[in-house]
């Protein structure tokens, strides 16, 4: 909620963070952009507004501080992946991966997080992730049981978009209306 009156741009290739005013919502009194220190009152609720300049943005879903984006895995219908700059790389739930590619257990690979070491780690052979207007092909994508994250959020999480991929992007987030834009310019990306 702190940034809900701003368009938040995280330009990872140039290591810049930019806050810009959001387009005003039609038929609402304009609010000067400000950092919110308390949650907005229910009276400030409104339907999602997609300004003309944001028509190409992708809807996101917010669960607390987590942002989820519809993502297709190979030829799957859309599932929810969490956008997580704290995750080392993209990751996928093994059950999701098994439905679309070969998965094998990795005994020499360790994944650790804030909750400790992951018991069983797998890799998914060939995975194409489609989200926003982007597509990324991955081989040997790390897979582990994401059910504890799903259970804590109350919604099925099929994967995570992590920092190794996000660092190549210019990400713009509209928290007010639940929109995100993933920009990729190969000339600016540092591989």
């Amino acid at each position: 909620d702190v940034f809900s009156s701003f368009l938040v741009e995280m330009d990872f290739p140039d290591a810049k963070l930019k806050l810009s005013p959001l387009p005003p919502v039609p038929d609402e009194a304009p609010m000067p952009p400000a950092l919110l220190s308390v949650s907005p009152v229910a009276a400030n609720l409104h339907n999602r507004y997609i300004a003309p300049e944001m028509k190409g943005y992708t809807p996101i879903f917010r669960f607390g501080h987590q942002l989820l984006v519809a993502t297709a895995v190979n030829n799957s219908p859309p599932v929810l992946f969490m956008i997580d700059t704290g995750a080392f790389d993209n990751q996928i739930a093994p059950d999701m991966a098994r439905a679309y590619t070969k998965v094998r257990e990795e005994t020499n690979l360790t994944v650790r997080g804030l909750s400790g070491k992951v018991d069983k780690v797998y890799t998914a052979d060939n995975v194409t992730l489609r989200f926003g207007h982007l597509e990324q092909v991955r081989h040997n994508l790390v897979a582990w049981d994401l059910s504890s994250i799903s259970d804590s959020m109350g919604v099925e999480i099929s994967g995570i978009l992590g920092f190794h991929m996000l660092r190549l992007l210019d990400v713009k987030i509209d928290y007010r209306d639940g929109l995100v834009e993933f920009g990729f310019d190969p000339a600016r990306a540092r591989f």
Side-chain angles (χ1 to χ4, degrees):
D1 293 332
V2 172
F3 297 116
S4 63
S5 62
F6 294 95
L7 179 65
V8 179
E9 181 177 357
M10 294 177 289
D11 180 346
F12 289 109
D14 289 338
K16 292 182 181 177
L17 174 70
K18 180 180 176 183
L19 301 177
S20 305
L22 286 169
V25 177
D27 303 324
E28 273 191 19
M31 298 283 293
L35 295 176
L36 297 178
S37 57
V38 295
S39 290
V41 239
N44 289 337
L45 293 177
H46 65 275
N47 290 326
R48 174 179 281 155
Y49 171 63
I50 302 176
E53 61 268 30
M54 297 173 130
K55 288 281 188 219
Y57 281 46
T58 301
I60 52 174
F61 305 96
R62 213 169 126 193
F63 286 78
H65 68 281
Q66 301 295 351
L67 300 178
L68 309 179
V69 63
T71 303
V73 176
N74 291 348
N75 295 317
S76 79
V79 293
L80 295 176
F81 270 54
M82 184 169 57
I83 302 168
D84 187 356
T85 57
F88 66 95
D89 196 2
N90 294 348
Q91 300 154 55
I92 191 168
D95 291 342
M96 181 69 210
R98 276 188 198 99
Y100 297 94
T101 191
K102 186 182 278 188
V103 174
R104 69 187 152 279
E105 188 170 356
E106 295 291 341
T107 55
N108 295 325
L109 185 60
T110 303
V111 174
R112 293 186 190 277
L114 292 175
S115 301
K117 181 180 171 186
V118 173
D119 286 335
K120 291 189 177 186
V121 179
Y122 306 86
T123 54
D125 271 357
N126 299 304
V127 177
T128 299
L129 301 175
R130 291 178 190 88
F131 56 95
H133 304 290
L134 300 178
E135 174 178 292
Q136 185 184 44
V137 177
R138 295 293 305 269
H139 305 288
N140 300 318
L141 183 62
V142 171
W144 58 281
D145 182 8
L146 300 173
S147 61
S148 62
I149 297 172
S150 297
D151 292 346
S152 71
M153 292 178 65
V155 64
E156 184 71 26
I157 305 299
S158 296
I160 297 170
L161 300 177
F163 189 72
H164 186 69
M165 185 269 310
L166 292 171
R167 70 184 177 85
L168 304 173
L169 306 178
D170 184 4
V171 180
K172 296 177 184 173
I173 303 171
D174 172 356
Y175 285 95
R176 179 190 71 191
D177 297 304
L179 298 168
V180 66
E181 173 67 13
F182 298 103
F184 175 68
D185 179 355
R188 293 179 57 230
R190 293 176 181 89
F191 294 98

